[in-house]
């Protein structure tokens, strides 16, 4: 394991990266994305123009752009770290190694959804089938909410066994992500129905939603890095 206070160093065929540097990067990443997003908003709705294509590449609520790529990368990083914990738990005979592995697969699924917007494929059909609107115009939140409820209840024992510091960070990360992905998404649905995606109210709500999601994943990654450090797992990128 690499102590968090040491510099990264090149060893035989590998590069060890201290978790503290990654944590500092993740601390400023959401603010950086927010700044770029606000520049895009200023370009789209104000007098200062940088070009519509450039704006869309920075706009948090758009698809297939820089924020999407970064969000997908963060989710993939979380999935890989969870897989690393699962491997350590398996070798150590941990009772919850499958829980870690399932979490890794969940985050892998979230990454694929971020890239391909899979949840939107069934949202329209579900809305039309149930006659939904208003708060539930983005009807996929029903499926997402049910999943969070069932998954959360099934992981209560897993959370209870974690160290208090790790459990607290996990709960904070989950609260940030879920509140953005589900609760604020419902507010955004109502604003979208009322004024469309160009309405100032919708843009503000969508901004809050995306920032909560990104911040939640960043907090979760930092929690995983700290947990790995406590386990003696560390972080190593092999170039063999």
């Amino acid at each position: 394991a690499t102590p968090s206070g040491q510099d990264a160093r090149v060893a035989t065929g590998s590069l060890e990266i201290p978790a503290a540097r990654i944590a500092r990067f993740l601390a400023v990443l959401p603010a950086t994305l927010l700044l770029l997003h606000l520049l895009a908003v200023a370009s789209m709705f104000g007098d200062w123009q940088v070009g519509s294509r450039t704006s869309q590449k920075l706009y948090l609520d758009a698809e297939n752009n820089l924020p999407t790529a970064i969000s997908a990368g963060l989710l993939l990083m979380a999935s890989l770290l969870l897989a690393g914990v699962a491997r350590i738990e398996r070798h150590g005979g941990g009772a919850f190694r499958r829980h870690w592995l399932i979490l890794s697969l969940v985050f892998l699924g979230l990454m694929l959804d971020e890239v391909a917007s899979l949840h939107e494929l069934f949202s329209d059909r579900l809305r039309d089938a149930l006659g939904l609107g208003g708060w539930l115009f983005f009807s996929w939140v029903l499926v997402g909410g049910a999943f969070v409820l069932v998954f959360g209840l099934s992981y209560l024992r897993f959370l209870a066994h974690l160290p208090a510091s790790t459990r607290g960070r996990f709960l904070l990360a989950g609260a940030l992500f879920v509140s953005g992905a589900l609760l604020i998404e419902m507010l955004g649905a109502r604003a979208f129905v009322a004024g469309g995606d160009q309405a100032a109210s919708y843009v503000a709500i969508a901004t809050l939603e995306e920032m909560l999601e990104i911040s939640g994943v960043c907090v979760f990654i930092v929690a995983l890095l700290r947990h790995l450090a406590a386990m003696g797992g560390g972080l190593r990128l092999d170039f063999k």
Side-chain angles (χ1 to χ4, degrees):
T2 303
S4 60
Q6 293 183 0
D7 293 331
R9 64 180 183 275
V10 176
T12 304
S14 66
L15 174 64
E16 295 184 0
I17 303 176
R21 290 190 177 183
I22 300 176
R24 287 194 294 269
F25 171 77
L26 293 176
V28 301
L29 179 61
T32 303
L33 289 175
L34 177 60
L35 176 60
L36 294 174
H37 168 75
L38 293 177
L39 291 176
V41 171
S43 172
M44 295 166 62
F45 299 101
D47 295 330
W48 181 66
Q49 298 292 325
V50 297
S52 59
R53 292 185 63 182
T54 302
S55 298
Q56 288 297 314
K57 290 179 180 179
L58 303 177
Y59 188 57
L60 283 172
D61 198 43
E63 304 294 340
N64 301 318
N65 60 4
L66 178 63
T68 299
I70 292 175
S71 295
L74 291 173
L75 291 167
L76 179 59
M77 182 178 182
S79 177
L80 294 175
L81 289 173
L82 285 163
V85 177
R87 183 182 181 187
I88 295 173
E89 289 282 337
R90 179 168 63 86
H91 287 299
F96 292 93
R97 56 190 181 278
R98 292 183 179 177
H99 289 72
W100 290 104
L101 180 58
I102 292 172
L103 265 179
S104 175
L105 294 176
V106 168
F107 272 83
L108 181 61
L110 289 173
M111 184 275 291
L112 294 174
D113 179 68
E114 183 70 22
V115 173
S117 299
L118 300 177
H119 64 278
E120 296 181 5
L121 297 178
F122 63 85
S123 187
D124 292 344
R125 294 182 179 180
L126 182 61
R127 180 176 62 247
D128 294 339
L130 300 179
L132 302 174
W135 302 93
L136 298 176
F137 184 79
F138 301 145
S139 59
W140 73 268
V141 298
L142 290 176
V143 179
F147 175 82
V148 169
L149 178 61
V150 173
F151 192 81
L153 290 175
S154 67
Y155 264 65
L156 288 178
R157 288 182 60 247
F158 169 81
L159 285 171
H161 102 284
L162 293 173
S165 57
T166 301
R167 180 169 59 248
R169 295 186 186 103
F170 276 20
L171 290 174
L172 174 60
L176 289 171
F177 188 86
V178 172
S179 63
L182 296 180
L183 300 181
I184 305 303
E185 178 85 346
M186 294 172 66
L187 291 176
R190 186 168 185 177
F192 179 85
V193 171
D197 62 358
Q198 299 296 306
S201 59
Y202 175 79
V203 173
I205 293 171
T207 301
L208 176 59
E209 172 203 335
E210 297 294 337
M211 290 307 301
L212 285 171
E213 291 181 22
I214 292 172
S215 298
V217 178
C218 287
V219 170
F220 188 66
I221 290 174
V222 171
L224 286 172
L225 290 171
R226 290 182 177 276
H227 187 72
L228 272 168
M231 295 176 71
L235 181 63
R236 175 177 294 179
L237 302 177
D238 291 315
F239 295 99
K240 296 180 180 178

